[in-house]
């Protein structure tokens, strides 16, 4: 039975690769980062080694049973790989969906346990949130998280030091689309993406797979990237 399952999996892999022709956005290349206490994203740290026109797709706040499957489908339809920054409590509530993200070739890090503004918590509470989110990740994936994105990008000295000690990479951003307003339409989000791309030219894009309008708009957003000639770079960790 196991052999048959492996053959079927291999065939499925071949079939999807064959569909990823030049009419798709695709994934141009993969950068494999070391597991170390580094920090990336030019908004707060040093930029990733990207060429002009290269972007990294990242999605925060999931997994969301309502919206993440739409995001996974849009990415799969365009053969594009992304990195998901998961909230610990959402991992625990949706372990299968979290595993599905990784089994479909995406990478995953954590984005706190309960999405607090860590700056409003005591150092002990910050470290407790980190501990819980790392445990939630490890329980589902069997390995330590390689990366962390701060909720609201609100960094604290306590957390930066703890992440460094734990060899967890801080993943900040280069650009976003401010996708948190429930009334946002696909056209509005597409325009914000175009504006951000024109301004930044390359880098890590922050989006939210837990946000309904983003999930709905993603096919259009990926088409914007393709039409403007941007190349997707996928982040993975050793
Ligand atoms: Zn968030």
């Amino acid at each position: 039975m196991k052999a048959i399952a492996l053959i079927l999996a291999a065939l499925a892999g071949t079939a999807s690769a064959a569909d990823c022709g030049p009419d798709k956005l695709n994934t141009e290349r993969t950068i494999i980062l070391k597991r170390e206490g580094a920090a990336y994203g030019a908004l707060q740290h040093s930029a990733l080694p990207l060429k002009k026109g290269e972007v990294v797709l990242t999605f925060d706040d999931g997994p969301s049973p309502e919206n993440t499957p739409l995001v996974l489908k849009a990415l799969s339809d365009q053969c594009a790989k992304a990195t998901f920054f998961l909230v610990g409590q959402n991992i625990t509530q949706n372990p299968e969906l979290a595993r599905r993200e990784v089994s479909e070739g995406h990478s995953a890090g954590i984005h706190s346990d309960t999405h607090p503004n860590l700056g409003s918590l005591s150092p002990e509470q910050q470290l407790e949130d980190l501990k819980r989110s790392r445990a939630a990740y490890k329980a589902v994936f069997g390995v330590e998280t390689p990366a962390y994105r701060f909720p609201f990008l609100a960094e604290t000295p306590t957390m930066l030091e703890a992440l460094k000690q734990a060899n967890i990479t801080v993943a900040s951003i280069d650009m976003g689309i401010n996708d948190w307003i429930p009334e946002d339409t696909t056209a509005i989000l597409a325009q914000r993406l175009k504006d951000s791309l024109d301004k930044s030219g390359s880098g890590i894009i922050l989006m939210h797979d837990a946000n309904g309008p983003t999930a709905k708009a993603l096919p259009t957003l990926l088409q914007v990237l393709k039409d403007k000639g941007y190349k997707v770079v996928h982040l993975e960790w050793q």
Side-chain angles (χ1 to χ4, degrees), residues 60-62 85 87 111-112 115 149-153 206-208:
D60 288 8
D61 293 2
F85 290 95
V87 172
H111 185 50
S112 83
H115 209 281
R149 177 170 284 153
F150 280 86
F152 312 105
L153 303 176
L206 165 63
M207 294 175 276
H208 294 85

Side-chain angles (χ1 to χ4, degrees), residues 57-60 62-84 97 100-101 104 106 179 207-219 221-222:
L57 307 177
T58 68
F59 294 93
D60 288 8
S64 149
E66 298 79 28
N67 299 311
T68 304
L70 293 174
V71 168
L72 288 172
K73 177 161 193 321
L75 290 169
S76 169
D77 285 348
Q78 288 293 340
C79 307
K81 302 294 183 216
T83 302
F84 289 86
L97 194 47
R100 192 183 143 199
E101 292 171 350
E104 293 188 10
H106 307 293
D179 56 332
M207 294 175 276
H208 294 85
D209 59 305
N211 185 45
T214 307
K216 206 173 129 203
L218 194 59
L221 302 180
L222 297 178

Side-chain angles (χ1 to χ4, degrees), residues 87-197:
V87 172
Q89 285 193 340
N90 293 345
I91 300 178
T92 305
Q93 282 168 20
N94 309 286
E96 287 308 318
L97 194 47
R99 276 191 282 263
R100 192 183 143 199
E101 292 171 350
V102 170
S103 72
E104 293 188 10
H106 307 293
S107 49
I110 49 175
H111 185 50
S112 83
D113 194 55
T114 59
H115 209 281
N117 186 329
L118 290 156
S120 69
L121 303 182
S122 70
E124 292 74 23
Q125 289 170 322
Q126 295 175 37
L127 295 175
E128 182 57 32
D129 184 273
L130 175 61
K131 191 174 150 194
R132 284 197 307 266
S133 62
R134 288 175 70 184
Y137 186 100
K138 196 165 183 188
V140 167
F141 295 113
V143 293
E144 281 281 350
T145 184
Y148 187 92
R149 177 170 284 153
F150 280 86
F152 312 105
L153 303 176
E155 300 185 344
T156 70
T158 298
M159 286 288 294
L160 286 171
E161 182 58 28
L163 293 166
K164 198 169 187 178
Q165 293 294 329
N167 286 328
I168 297 172
T169 298
V170 174
S172 186
I173 68 167
D174 292 81
M175 66 185 112
I177 57 170
N178 286 325
D179 56 332
W180 49 271
I181 302 158
E183 293 77 24
D184 275 347
T185 63
T186 293
I188 288 171
L189 291 171
Q191 189 57 50
R192 275 197 213 127
L193 176 62
K194 285 176 194 165
D195 293 345
S196 288
L197 291 167

